[in-house]
Amino acid sequence: MVMLGIKLGGDVPFSKVYLHPMIRDAHGRKMSKSLGNVIDPLEVINGISLEGLQKRLEEGNLDPNELATAKAGQVKDFPNGIAECGADALRFVLVSYTSQSDKINLDIQRVVGYRQWCNKLWNAVRFAMSKLPDDYAPPPTINPGTMPFSYAATSVYSWWQYQFCDIFIEAIKPYLAGDNPTFSSERNFAQDALWSWTNESVEHEMDLVESTVRSLRSLRAELLAKQKNERLPAFAFCQNDELAEIMRSCELEILTLAALSSLKVLLSDVDDAPAECAFENVNENLKVYLKVHGTLNAEAERQKIKNKMNEILKQQEKLKKIMNASGYQEKVPSHIQEENATKLAKLLQEFEFFTKESERIESEAQHQQ
């Protein structure tokens, strides 16, 4: 290849060569014809049935006993053969495996998982391109960072799967649906963000939205075992005005992603915590409540609060032990001391909140009796 590149093109065709570790089977055994565990890359790319795999073994020169053992191994590892995964999924899985020392224990199901991710990536790109105008020009300054292959693969996978597809695309669908002039500026921002999302303030807000949605989804899964598609009203109980404003500005996104019927924003200094609701702690400044139909399981809520309080007490004791250690004031850098003091204050604040919640639920339970 190098000689042909120089002869035909006047230069070498590449300047760097990247090597992946030795590929073994899923059990960590070296691939060997005598073991009958060799995986042909083309069979992963194009797919093959179990019968096709075993026919390939029969065409080899394995001893009858070794052939029987190899066939039994294939039946165990590939009962339905190998699904068609494509070259991109195979390449990506090899890149993601490069963090594994000097060998790759190739699990075909992981390749299948990346094939599904590649399909999702394709659908996401197709959705984005369909929402961008024909004359759309992407921002001129995009400077991707550099990192090792395996970390880059993990970062790209996580961002596309859990940020772009699960959060961003779902959140902007209401803005892109129809021609409501109210959403004109939001549509323009969404179109820019579909290409390159670099607004740190918006990313901070979306991180908060994602945490809020995750907590609400957790409550839904806990409360709606048989009616998962039912939309319930929710409340965001905020400790400060800045947080309350973010919740109000992102109301549509939270409604969409958490499948809610309504979201009311409350301020701790002004409003009381909503009654007859299950709650989840998002962070020290934000709690979410979900209104349930019928009677709330007070005992389950009390137990959840008790577990949270026990966990906070353990963290407090650990932190206090560090802060009260001999020589802490003299040896520990001042910024670390400040961070620990802030952590302790947050833990005390959370403990106080859970104490009030426990008293509220106890009071509601007594009124219902």
Side-chain angles (χ1 to χ4, degrees):
M1 187 181 296
V2 172
M3 289 186 291
L4 281 175
I6 295 174
K7 179 67 176 178
L8 300 178
D11 196 5
V12 293
F14 44 77
S15 58
K16 294 181 180 179
V17 177
Y18 295 97
L19 304 177
H20 59 69
M22 178 181 288
I23 300 177
R24 298 172 178 259
D25 68 10
H27 308 289
R29 300 176 302 175
K30 185 177 179 180
M31 292 190 187
S32 167
K33 291 183 179 180
S34 61
L35 291 176
N37 65 340
V38 176
I39 298 176
D40 187 334
L42 292 177
E43 294 173 348
V44 179
I45 294 172
N46 301 319
I48 189 172
S49 65
L50 176 61
E51 292 75 13
L53 287 170
Q54 299 203 330
K55 182 179 180 181
R56 176 166 59 80
L57 285 178
E58 293 168 354
E59 292 173 349
N61 56 356
L62 286 177
D63 177 88
N65 292 331
E66 293 177 340
L67 178 62
T69 301
K71 282 187 173 183
Q74 286 184 337
V75 170
K76 183 179 180 181
D77 291 341
F78 314 112
N80 300 312
I82 298 175
E84 180 182 350
C85 296
D88 289 336
L90 181 58
R91 291 190 187 103
F92 200 87
V93 80
L94 293 178
V95 168
S96 67
Y97 265 125
T98 54
S99 61
Q100 283 191 5
S101 63
D102 60 344
K103 60 181 181 292
I104 291 176
N105 297 342
L106 183 62
D107 184 354
I108 296 300
Q109 290 307 310
R110 186 167 176 178
V111 187
V112 172
Y114 279 118
R115 179 202 66 185
Q116 295 166 345
W117 176 77
C118 287
N119 289 340
K120 193 164 190 175
L121 187 152
W122 164 248
N123 287 328
V125 171
R126 186 172 61 174
F127 170 83
M129 299 307 292
S130 71
K131 301 303 179 183
L132 295 171
D134 294 337
D135 59 348
Y136 181 80
T141 55
I142 300 177
N143 300 309
T146 60
M147 61 178 69
F149 268 154
S150 59
Y151 298 113
T154 301
S155 299
V156 168
Y157 176 89
S158 298
W159 188 84
W160 275 89
Q161 181 81 7
Y162 304 116
Q163 297 288 326
F164 189 72
C165 293
D166 289 359
I167 299 295
F168 184 79
I169 284 184
E170 294 303 320
I172 66 173
K173 282 181 178 178
Y175 295 107
L176 296 175
D179 297 316
N180 189 337
T182 307
F183 295 151
S184 177
S185 62
E186 285 84 353
R187 276 197 294 272
N188 291 335
F189 171 76
Q191 288 171 345
D192 286 340
L194 276 170
W195 188 271
S196 175
W197 191 352
T198 57
N199 189 312
E200 292 184 5
S201 174
V202 173
E203 287 205 24
H204 167 71
E205 291 182 5
M206 287 306 298
D207 285 342
L208 186 59
V209 168
E210 185 178 354
S211 299
T212 302
V213 169
R214 188 162 51 244
S215 296
L216 288 166
R217 286 176 174 176
S218 176
L219 284 175
R220 286 180 58 85
E222 178 184 324
L223 300 172
L224 299 177
K226 297 181 180 180
Q227 298 173 313
K228 293 184 178 180
N229 294 326
E230 184 178 358
R231 292 179 176 267
L232 297 177
F235 303 85
F237 196 63
C238 306
Q239 298 293 321
N240 55 63
D241 292 327
E242 180 184 357
L243 194 57
E245 183 58 34
I246 293 175
M247 288 292 100
R248 293 190 188 99
S249 66
C250 298
E251 178 182 355
L252 182 57
E253 289 85 347
I254 297 172
L255 288 173
T256 302
L257 295 171
L260 303 175
S261 61
S262 64
L263 177 68
K264 186 174 182 180
V265 180
L266 305 175
L267 263 174
S268 60
D269 294 338
V270 178
D271 305 297
D272 295 325
E276 299 180 358
C277 292
F279 82 96
E280 188 68 36
N281 186 45
V282 180
N283 57 43
E284 70 276 4
N285 293 316
L286 176 62
K287 281 75 185 173
V288 290
Y289 293 77
L290 200 62
K291 190 76 173 178
V292 297
H293 297 315
T295 305
L296 183 68
N297 188 337
E299 182 59 35
E301 289 298 300
R302 279 195 292 265
Q303 185 60 46
K304 181 167 71 172
I305 291 174
K306 182 180 178 181
N307 293 339
K308 296 273 189 182
M309 293 176 74
N310 288 337
E311 182 181 339
I312 291 174
L313 284 174
K314 290 179 181 178
Q315 294 180 33
Q316 284 182 6
E317 291 174 3
K318 182 178 179 180
L319 197 53
K320 286 179 179 178
K321 185 177 180 180
I322 294 174
M323 296 173 69
N324 294 329
S326 175
Y328 176 80
Q329 297 291 338
E330 297 80 16
K331 297 179 182 179
V332 177
S334 58
H335 70 279
I336 299 296
Q337 293 187 32
E338 292 176 3
E339 290 177 3
N340 288 340
T342 302
K343 288 179 184 177
L344 184 59
K346 289 180 179 180
L347 289 172
L348 292 171
Q349 182 181 346
E350 287 193 48
F351 191 84
E352 181 182 0
F353 167 78
F354 286 120
T355 301
K356 292 180 179 179
E357 278 298 299
S358 181
E359 294 171 353
R360 177 184 68 81
I361 292 175
E362 187 66 36
S363 175
E364 289 179 5
Q366 290 177 359
H367 280 94
Q368 291 173 358
Q369 291 177 353

